[in-house]
Amino acid sequence: MSQDIAHLRKSYERAELSEDASHADPMAQFAQWFDEARKSEIPEPNAMTLATVGSDLRPSSRVVLIKEFDERGLVWYTNYQSRKGQQLAGNPYAALQFHWVELERVVRIEGLVEKISEADSDAYYASRPLDHRLGAWASPQSQVIPGRAWLVAEAAKVGARFLLAPPRPPHWGGYRLKPDRWEFWQGRKSRLHDRLCYRLEDGAWLRERLSP
C-alpha cells in the first residue's frame, strides 16, 4: 500500500545557534550540547551513526554508542573483525552523526580513526557487565550464522569456558575518531536553519556559517 509521506514535516522553533553564543573550540561546543542532551532525558543521547567506506568505495553506516570524548577525539568500542572494522583497516577516515530529534539538533563529525591503546580497551572491557563481555567472544560480528540458536549455544560455551573472568578478546576494542571537521545544526523556522562548521586549518579551528 502506498503511503503519503511527501507532506510529513514540522517547524523547528526550539532554539538558535549563533556565532556569538557558540564556543570557538568545537569540542567545547559538543560537550555543552551533549550535556544538554543528557539532561533533557532523551532516549540514548550517546547513540551516533558511524559511516565508513570500503575498498569498493561503497559507504555503509550503522549506529554505535560513544563511550568517552576529550580533546583527543571520540571513542567507541566494537569487533575489529566486523564489517566496519575491516573498512576502517582499509580506509581509516570516517564520519559520525548525532541526531537529537527532541532538541532539533544534529552534530556531524569527520576525521581520522585509530585504535586506542590495548590498556584502555582492557580497562573498558573489564567494566562491562559479564554477559556483554561473554557476548564479545560469542558473536562473530557481521558474519553469516545458522540462526539465533547457534548464537545462544556459542554464548553458553563461552560462559562455560571463562566462567566469571573472560579476558578481552584480541579482536575487540576501541576506536578513536580525531576530528578535523565539525558541523553543528540547529533547526530553525521556515527551514532557515543554523549551521556552524568548524574546519581544522594550520592547527587552528576556523568557524564558518553554512547556508541551510
Side-chain angles (χ1 to χ4, degrees):
M1 178 182 295
S2 175
Q3 298 184 11
D4 183 9
I5 62 175
H7 301 293
L8 291 177
R9 59 176 59 90
K10 65 171 291 186
S11 180
Y12 300 101
E13 303 180 19
R14 286 183 58 96
E16 63 182 41
L17 178 62
S18 68
E19 289 84 345
D20 293 337
S22 62
H23 294 275
D25 181 350
M27 187 61 78
Q29 182 64 38
F30 175 75
Q32 177 185 324
W33 272 21
F34 189 80
D35 185 58
E36 291 173 2
R38 291 184 63 185
K39 290 178 178 178
S40 70
E41 299 184 350
I42 61 178
E44 292 196 296
N46 56 329
M48 59 186 183
T49 300
L50 165 66
T52 54
V53 177
S55 59
D56 57 2
L57 302 183
R58 293 182 58 150
S60 63
S61 64
R62 72 289 290 163
V63 175
V64 297
L65 301 178
I66 186 175
K67 291 302 178 179
E68 61 182 90
F69 64 89
D70 56 27
E71 68 280 357
R72 296 172 297 171
L74 300 90
V75 173
W76 69 95
Y77 293 84
T78 190
N79 187 315
Y80 292 143
Q81 298 173 350
S82 64
R83 186 184 184 196
K84 55 184 171 295
Q86 294 176 14
Q87 291 179 336
L88 287 170
N91 176 9
Y93 288 92
L96 300 171
Q97 176 172 290
F98 292 84
H99 186 192
W100 296 313
V101 178
E102 294 83 351
L103 301 180
E104 300 173 357
R105 288 175 173 173
V106 173
V107 181
R108 300 169 60 191
I109 313 146
E110 300 173 14
L112 181 69
V113 177
E114 61 183 13
K115 290 181 180 178
I116 67 172
S117 71
E118 292 190 5
D120 287 344
S121 288
D122 288 341
Y124 174 72
Y125 181 81
S127 74
R128 305 180 83 207
L130 177 61
D131 57 340
H132 293 197
R133 285 180 278 154
L134 295 173
W137 278 100
S139 173
Q141 194 174 100
S142 302
Q143 296 182 28
V144 176
I145 60 175
R148 181 165 184 82
W150 180 91
L151 187 62
V152 172
E154 287 298 304
K157 292 178 185 178
V158 169
R161 176 185 174 188
F162 293 119
L163 300 178
L164 299 179
R168 178 179 62 88
H171 57 265
W172 189 97
Y175 286 106
R176 175 182 289 110
L177 184 141
K178 302 166 62 177
D180 57 27
R181 181 184 175 94
W182 295 76
E183 182 183 324
F184 295 86
W185 181 98
Q186 177 69 63
R188 297 295 301 274
K189 189 176 181 180
S190 302
R191 294 300 187 265
L192 299 179
H193 310 304
D194 290 328
R195 295 176 63 189
L196 294 186
C197 174
Y198 294 75
R199 292 189 293 110
L200 194 59
E201 191 170 284
D202 297 326
W205 288 106
L206 176 65
R207 180 177 51 191
E208 300 168 313
R209 176 171 288 268
L210 303 180
S211 172

